[in-house]
Amino acid sequence: MSGGFRSRSRRSREAAEQGQTKKGRGTRQVREGDRRPDAVRDHMPAIGDPAREAAFEAVFRVETEDAFGNLVLPQILRQKKVGGRDAAFATELTYGTLRNLGVLDAVIAQCSSRELSSLDPAVLTALRLGTYQILHTRVEQHAAVDTSVQLVESAGQSKAKGFVNGILRTITRTSSEEWMDRIAAEVATGTDGSIEGFGEIAIRTAHPAWIAASFGETLAAEGLSGDALKDELTAALDADSQRPVVHLAARPGEMSAEELALITGGEQGRYSPYAVYLDGGDPGKLQPVRDKLAAVQDEGSQLIARAVVEAPLEGTDGGRWLDLCAGPGGKTALIGALAEIDAAAVDAVEISETRARLVEQITEGLPVTVKVADGRDSGCEPGYDRILVDAPCSGLGALRRRPEARWTKSEDDIAELNTLQSELLAAAVELARPGGIIVYSTCSPDLRETRRIVDKQLASGGVEELDARDLMPGMDEVGSFPSVQMWPHRHGTDAMFVSILRKN
């Protein structure tokens, strides 16, 4: 199948500096003489359809600039003053297209006489938007085809009008369900073929097959199998396409969750004593957030920060706490607020100067000292009572927050991350005092980034694993290990993992 159903690796900064766009299916390298994407940016299509114009620009910028769809679309809507039903339609088109990129490209590739990697980005963007409307919306098919052709022409690609028209009309001749069946039949069933159906589930939920296999392996480790595993996997992947509820965290010592809920009109959280849920709106405009009495923070993140403080030490807590991978500072701030109550102090290590400044800003006024250093060689004096290792990871647990993320991540990156994760955890063990606590967490359910990192450290000796489930009040279905694996479809949080270790 031309084009293939697979995720794309995000381009490196070095490649960007050399004038390259992302490599992989549906993308191309910019060669000398090619029309620059900037040329379209300087004159975006104008066809008298604000919603489709906004969606085109957003998807185009994600493709050519590595922009984040959830950040760039609101900017475009504000700049173009698009609101009401047009804004809602633009949002559906943009996020729907980005979530389904791999599937859309696989369908387009079956109808195209040219490799997608050779197509101009404006042409590919119009094809994706048109295909999404045909397969996934109630938009009249002729309207989806005609407006896509207009977008291509208005973007300066008049010669491609017939090409786009032909592909989209070919797609309309086959039902959406038939297209899904056809694409699913050509996708492998899991990483090793041992669990049937992963490929089809990946297609149905618009994920790369490797991510479906990753999630499936984690769920299988709970003892699920057969239809129960397939149903659970489908639910987990479907959750990546649902809009997450906004979670606020009331700052301990300043405001209770009950007070925050009354002020904001939200609902108190199910698990974290600091959490409040909001149905919508801009949380940045809320007065408690503006006054730093509360912050936007996933409830799972709140629970991990709380576990650092609540996990049982051996011996007396001397008040020396450490966040070894602090940026951008959400967990650090919550730990710092709790440290202030307990008369403790937090050292926050962050390798990036930019992110370190963010940590400083968010923890201003709290007993937190920020240090720019590599957590593997931080230069900190050993003897900490409590340490958090919120390790850099693939971010597979937060796919619902960025619609295109599932297609821009690469499985190849995980092996390199595993080395970093193991080294950071080993460094934390060295920095902890005997009887001290080390909390290891990631925003990923992939076993390579979770249990296998912890098991490797346990095999090295020097630590014992405590039961993290004891520190997650009311949270069930968190896996069959002493660690906790959260899921959006079960708990409403990101798919976060946490293990609690104690140094012997």
Side-chain angles (χ1 to χ4, degrees), residues 64-357:
T64 61
E65 302 175 8
D66 286 341
F68 293 167
N70 63 322
L71 299 181
V72 73
L73 178 63
Q75 296 172 359
I76 294 170
L77 295 177
R78 285 195 299 269
Q79 291 167 0
K80 293 180 176 292
K81 297 181 180 179
V82 180
R85 295 178 64 181
D86 283 337
F89 185 43
T91 300
E92 179 189 357
L93 281 185
T94 301
Y95 292 170
T97 299
L98 293 176
R99 279 194 297 264
N100 289 274
L101 276 179
V103 179
L104 299 177
D105 283 4
V107 173
I108 295 168
Q110 289 213 357
C111 303
S112 176
S113 59
R114 298 172 56 187
E115 290 287 338
L116 301 196
S117 59
S118 70
L119 299 182
D120 184 276
V123 174
L124 184 59
T125 297
L127 282 170
R128 287 167 168 169
L129 287 170
T131 303
Y132 176 74
Q133 292 173 75
I134 292 167
L135 298 182
H136 296 291
T137 73
R138 296 181 179 178
V139 172
E140 293 290 339
Q141 292 185 343
H142 69 85
V145 175
D146 292 346
T147 53
S148 299
V149 172
Q150 292 174 35
L151 286 169
V152 168
E153 182 178 23
S154 185
Q157 292 292 304
S158 297
K159 293 181 179 180
K161 289 169 53 181
F163 177 75
V164 170
N165 182 71
I167 288 178
L168 293 181
R169 292 200 179 280
T170 299
I171 293 172
T172 64
R173 298 188 187 108
T174 302
S175 71
S176 175
E177 188 63 29
E178 287 178 288
W179 275 119
M180 296 303 103
D181 290 342
R182 185 180 301 182
I183 302 302
E186 300 193 24
V187 179
T189 59
T191 54
D192 59 2
S194 61
I195 304 178
E196 297 180 359
F198 276 12
E200 181 176 359
I201 292 172
I203 289 291
R204 304 292 180 188
T205 59
H207 282 75
W210 75 268
I211 292 181
S214 165
F215 284 26
E217 186 179 10
T218 299
L219 293 168
E222 296 182 6
L224 294 172
S225 61
D227 289 341
L229 173 58
K230 291 180 181 179
D231 290 345
E232 193 71 15
L233 175 58
T234 300
L237 295 172
D238 276 339
D240 286 341
S241 297
Q242 305 301 315
R243 181 176 66 89
V245 173
V246 175
H247 292 179
L248 297 180
R251 175 167 284 187
E254 299 286 352
M255 175 179 285
S256 69
E258 181 180 10
E259 292 170 325
L260 181 59
L262 288 172
I263 293 172
T264 62
E267 176 188 356
Q268 286 185 249
R270 288 187 291 167
Y271 308 116
S272 166
Y274 321 117
V276 169
Y277 305 153
L278 295 182
D279 286 336
D282 183 356
K285 294 181 179 179
L286 296 172
Q287 198 61 45
V289 175
R290 295 166 66 91
D291 292 340
K292 290 189 175 183
L293 301 177
V296 178
Q297 186 175 31
D298 187 88
E299 189 172 20
S301 178
Q302 298 174 39
L303 290 170
I304 291 170
R306 179 177 179 270
V308 175
V309 178
E310 296 292 329
L313 293 163
E314 287 184 349
T316 303
D317 192 337
R320 286 193 69 207
W321 302 354
L322 172 66
D323 187 343
L324 203 57
C325 312
K331 294 182 181 70
T332 318
L334 185 51
I335 294 171
L338 294 169
E340 188 170 42
I341 295 172
D342 289 356
V346 182
D347 290 334
V349 174
E350 170 54 46
I351 192 171
S352 164
E353 291 188 9
T354 300
R355 288 164 66 90
R357 286 195 293 271

Side-chain angles (χ1 to χ4, degrees), residues 403-482:
E404 75 282 356
R406 67 193 71 178
W407 304 110
T408 57
K409 295 182 182 297
S410 170
E411 187 173 20
D412 296 338
D413 297 333
I414 292 183
E416 183 177 348
L417 285 166
N418 290 162
T419 300
L420 174 60
Q421 291 156 353
S422 291
E423 291 174 351
L424 285 167
L425 182 53
V429 173
E430 291 297 319
L431 289 170
R433 69 162 174 81
I437 290 294
I438 304 102
V439 173
Y440 175 80
S441 65
T442 65
C443 189
S444 171
D446 192 295
L447 290 175
R448 290 167 290 186
E449 302 186 88
T450 59
R451 278 310 318 175
R452 292 175 191 167
I453 299 297
V454 171
D455 290 341
K456 179 180 178 181
Q457 186 60 54
L458 290 170
S460 298
V463 293
E464 61 178 327
E465 186 171 18
L466 306 184
D467 197 332
R469 295 168 293 188
D470 293 340
L471 295 172
M472 307 293 156
M475 184 175 279
D476 54 11
E477 293 187 283
V478 293
S480 55
F481 301 96

Side-chain angles (χ1 to χ4, degrees), residues 13-25:
R13 293 302 173 192
E14 293 80 8
E17 292 170 0
Q18 295 169 7
Q20 296 178 336
T21 61
K22 289 174 288 185
K23 300 177 182 179
R25 177 193 34 74

